[in-house]
Amino acid sequence: MKMLALVILAAPIAAHAVYQCKGADGRVSYQERPCAAEQTQSTVRIHQTAGDAAAGPTVEQRMLAGMQHERRVQALAQSVAEIEAGIDERNARMDRELQALRQSKSRARNNLAGAAWEQSISTEMAAVAAKYKAQNETDLERLRVLRKRLDEERGQR
């Protein structure tokens, strides 16, 4: 019975590969993805046994978890930056459209039928502003959710 318990504790329960990359300058790094072409690559297999699992994570497992965490933080930060840039770009487009409509509106005042035309342009301006506001509200909600997740990820360090 004792022998069976030892066999169970020594049985592998998980394995993953980590790439060991050595640069031309001799620096060694470990990562989940294959090394760059100019680096020397070795694959390090990390095996965890049932006994190891009870003892806690190994150094390699903590390194791997740290790399995964950093990758999640970077991906979230990139998503936040992309959404912010999209909102800024959309606001610039809206400003250009509204400016063009304002110029048309100023020309409408110099026309006999200008009052009707001016009202039409005002309605169009309101529609343009509403369209961009709706698009921005969707992105602002996505941004709120992503920032919350990013703060949570950064708080886990």
Side-chain angles (χ1 to χ4, degrees), residues 68-103:
Q68 290 169 336
H69 177 265
E70 187 60 33
R71 188 174 58 197
R72 283 190 307 271
V73 167
Q74 288 174 350
L76 287 168
Q78 179 66 32
S79 295
V80 165
E82 287 171 0
I83 291 172
E84 289 173 337
I87 290 171
D88 290 344
E89 182 181 316
R90 188 177 303 121
N91 285 338
R93 277 195 319 262
M94 179 183 67
D95 289 343
R96 286 190 301 272
E97 283 185 44
L98 290 174
Q99 184 59 35
L101 290 169
R102 280 187 206 100
Q103 288 174 349

Side-chain angles (χ1 to χ4, degrees), residues 19 28 38 61 64 69 79-80 95 98 103 110 123 127 131 149:
Y19 296 95
V28 176
E38 65 274 359
Q61 290 166 331
L64 181 61
H69 177 265
S79 295
V80 165
D95 289 343
L98 290 174
Q103 288 174 349
N110 299 329
T123 302
K131 172 182 79 170
R149 286 180 49 205

Side-chain angles (χ1 to χ4, degrees), residues 19-23 25-30 39:
Y19 296 95
Q20 178 184 25
C21 306
K22 187 172 185 179
D25 60 358
R27 293 179 66 188
V28 176
S29 64
Y30 295 88
Q39 295 179 317

Side-chain angles (χ1 to χ4, degrees), residues 6-133:
L6 287 175
V7 170
I8 291 173
L9 285 177
I13 60 170
H16 17 263
V18 173
Y19 296 95
Q20 178 184 25
C21 306
K22 187 172 185 179
D25 60 358
R27 293 179 66 188
V28 176
S29 64
Y30 295 88
Q31 57 194 45
E32 293 177 303
R33 295 186 180 140
C35 304
E38 65 274 359
Q39 295 179 317
T40 307
Q41 173 177 303
S42 323
T43 303
V44 179
R45 285 214 152 300
I46 301 172
H47 296 281
Q48 179 180 4
T49 64
D52 292 338
T58 64
V59 171
E60 292 87 359
Q61 290 166 331
R62 286 193 306 271
M63 283 177 40
L64 181 61
M67 288 187 297
Q68 290 169 336
H69 177 265
E70 187 60 33
R71 188 174 58 197
R72 283 190 307 271
V73 167
Q74 288 174 350
L76 287 168
Q78 179 66 32
S79 295
V80 165
E82 287 171 0
I83 291 172
E84 289 173 337
I87 290 171
D88 290 344
E89 182 181 316
R90 188 177 303 121
N91 285 338
R93 277 195 319 262
M94 179 183 67
D95 289 343
R96 286 190 301 272
E97 283 185 44
L98 290 174
Q99 184 59 35
L101 290 169
R102 280 187 206 100
Q103 288 174 349
S104 294
K105 195 172 180 181
S106 70
R107 286 191 301 270
R109 292 186 185 120
N110 299 329
N111 188 321
L112 291 176
W117 190 26
E118 191 174 353
Q119 181 58 40
S120 171
I121 292 171
S122 293
T123 302
E124 188 176 350
M125 289 174 74
V128 166
K131 172 182 79 170
Y132 284 107
K133 181 182 178 195

